[in-house]
């Protein structure tokens, strides 16, 4: 059975004390124990988040990393540095990294390989923009993103991959993909993986939906056959909302 996952991407929010407070508030909530819960604070708050979540079952992910293991890359962070402070997961390919920091699927392929080689688990984000959706190009765009960034991985490396389909038009806009739209795309993604690898690989990979997931719509989205959870932005910054989304699986 595939893992059910809800991950909170805190983006560039929360100081260290605010981050610790939010973790304490999340820990005080009753969370569905069948769901793997992740939070992704900013780099500077990762180490304290690892300490604060110890023995809670909540896992900590980074929001990005550099593809090199070390060297003259001012301002960057390597996979080894994350692992060294107890961070075993990294989000790669978020649309904000793509849009504001020029990350391409070629570069993301390097990052994924570096993260995989180092032994990190990867939450890989992708998704089409509004114009792609309007013109009907969304399936091709997603196929291209996955092919370029991921399809040279060995089958064995897929045990390190979680996918997060995040249509850019649904991120932070309040406009969610309908459950049917999410299911249609997730099923398409699974078929792509089956065609390129095999059905065991396709059936094993958790595919999360991200984009304006809230307590009010989480259960309907998570009820879709090929939706295995969510990557949550805004609503992950409120403990009660985040917990309600995690419990959207019940
Ligand atoms: P929102 O939930 O705020 O739309 O953000 C989604 C997202 O980008 C998660 O990575």
């Amino acid at each position: 059975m595939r893992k059910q996952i809800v991950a909170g991407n805190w983006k560039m929010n929360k100081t260290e004390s605010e981050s610790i407070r939010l973790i304490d508030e999340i820990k005080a909530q009753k969370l569905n124990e069948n769901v793997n819960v992740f939070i992704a604070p900013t780099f500077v708050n990762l180490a304290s988040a690892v300490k604060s979540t110890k023995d809670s079952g909540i896992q900590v992910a980074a929001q990005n990393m550099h593809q090199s293991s070390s060297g003259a890359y001012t301002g960057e962070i390597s996979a080894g540095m994350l692992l060294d402070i107890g961070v075993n997961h990294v989000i790669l390919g978020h649309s904000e990294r793509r849009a504001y920091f020029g990350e391409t699927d070629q570069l993301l392929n390097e990052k994924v390989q570096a993260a995989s080689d180092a032994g990190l688990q990867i939450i890989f984000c992708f998704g089409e923009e509004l114009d792609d959706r309007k013109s009907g190009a969304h399936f091709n765009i997603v196929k291209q993103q996955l092919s370029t960034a991921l399809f040279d991985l060995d089958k064995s490396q897929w045990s390190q991959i979680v996918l997060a389909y995040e249509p850019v038009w649904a991120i932070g806009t309040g406009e969610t993909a309908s459950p049917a739209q999410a299911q249609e795309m997730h099923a398409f993604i699974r078929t792509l993986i089956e065609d390129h690898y095999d059905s065991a690989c396709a059936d094993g990979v958790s595919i999360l939906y991200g984009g304006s997931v809230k307590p009010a719509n989480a259960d309907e989205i998570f009820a879709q056959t090929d939706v295995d959870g969510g990557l949550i932005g805004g609503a992950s910054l409120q403990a009660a909302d985040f917990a309600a989304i995690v419990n959207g699986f019940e």
Side-chain angles (χ1 to χ4, degrees):
M1 175 153 154
R2 288 191 290 274
K3 277 188 190 160
Q4 297 178 323
I5 298 170
V6 173
N9 176 8
W10 292 1
K11 307 190 179 183
M12 197 175 73
N13 292 294
K14 304 289 173 191
T15 61
E16 185 179 44
S17 57
E18 290 167 348
S19 162
I20 291 169
R21 194 176 323 137
L22 179 53
I23 290 167
D24 287 341
E25 287 169 4
I26 294 171
K27 285 197 298 191
Q29 305 284 325
K30 192 172 159 20
L31 300 174
N32 181 339
E33 287 175 4
N34 298 323
V35 180
N36 291 269
V37 177
F38 291 82
I39 55 164
T42 65
F43 280 128
V44 291
N45 295 329
L46 286 173
S48 63
V50 168
K51 281 199 194 95
S52 303
T53 53
K54 196 168 180 290
D55 300 327
S56 70
I58 299 167
Q59 301 177 75
V60 177
Q63 299 174 16
N64 179 33
M65 55 157 254
H66 194 267
Q67 63 275 22
S68 298
S69 54
S70 65
Y73 302 104
T74 301
E76 291 292 331
I77 309 271
S78 72
M81 293 170 186
L82 296 176
L83 288 161
D84 188 53
I85 58 164
V87 174
N88 301 316
H89 299 81
V90 64
I91 296 172
L92 293 174
H94 193 278
S95 66
E96 287 146 21
R97 298 292 319 165
R98 294 170 183 262
Y100 307 137
F101 304 99
E103 295 198 359
T104 62
D105 286 300
Q106 283 78 11
L107 172 69
L108 290 166
N109 175 250
E110 289 181 46
K111 291 195 177 202
V112 168
Q113 289 289 1
S116 169
D117 288 349
L120 283 165
Q121 300 284 323
I122 298 142
I123 300 175
F124 183 79
C125 307
F126 56 95
E128 81 282 0
E129 305 206 16
L130 184 57
D131 285 350
D132 305 323
R133 171 66 61 168
K134 281 186 176 155
S135 71
H138 45 297
F139 291 117
N140 273 340
I141 294 289
V142 162
K143 182 177 181 182
Q144 220 167 28
Q145 290 172 324
L146 293 180
S147 307
T148 308
L150 300 181
F151 280 4
D152 69 342
L153 293 178
D154 287 336
K155 203 168 83 176
S156 62
Q157 290 175 287
W158 277 79
S159 61
Q160 292 172 269
I161 303 284
V162 169
L163 298 178
Y165 169 59
E166 297 205 304
V168 178
W169 48 270
I171 295 179
T173 58
E175 188 177 348
T176 323
S178 69
Q181 283 174 321
Q183 169 56 26
E184 183 186 34
M185 182 58 88
H186 285 220
F188 172 74
I189 292 161
R190 224 177 279 288
T191 304
L192 286 179
I193 299 168
E194 180 170 357
D195 289 349
H196 193 78
Y197 294 92
D198 58 26
S199 59
C201 191
D203 288 342
V205 66
S206 296
I207 309 177
L208 316 184
Y209 168 80
S212 298
V213 178
K214 310 281 180 220
N217 58 25
D219 52 349
E220 236 189 336
I221 294 171
F222 296 167
Q224 304 302 309
T225 314
D226 288 293
V227 177
D228 305 305
L231 184 55
I232 321 300
S236 72
L237 298 171
Q238 303 289 337
D241 283 358
F242 187 58
I245 291 170
V246 171
N247 297 332
F249 272 111
E250 278 173 336

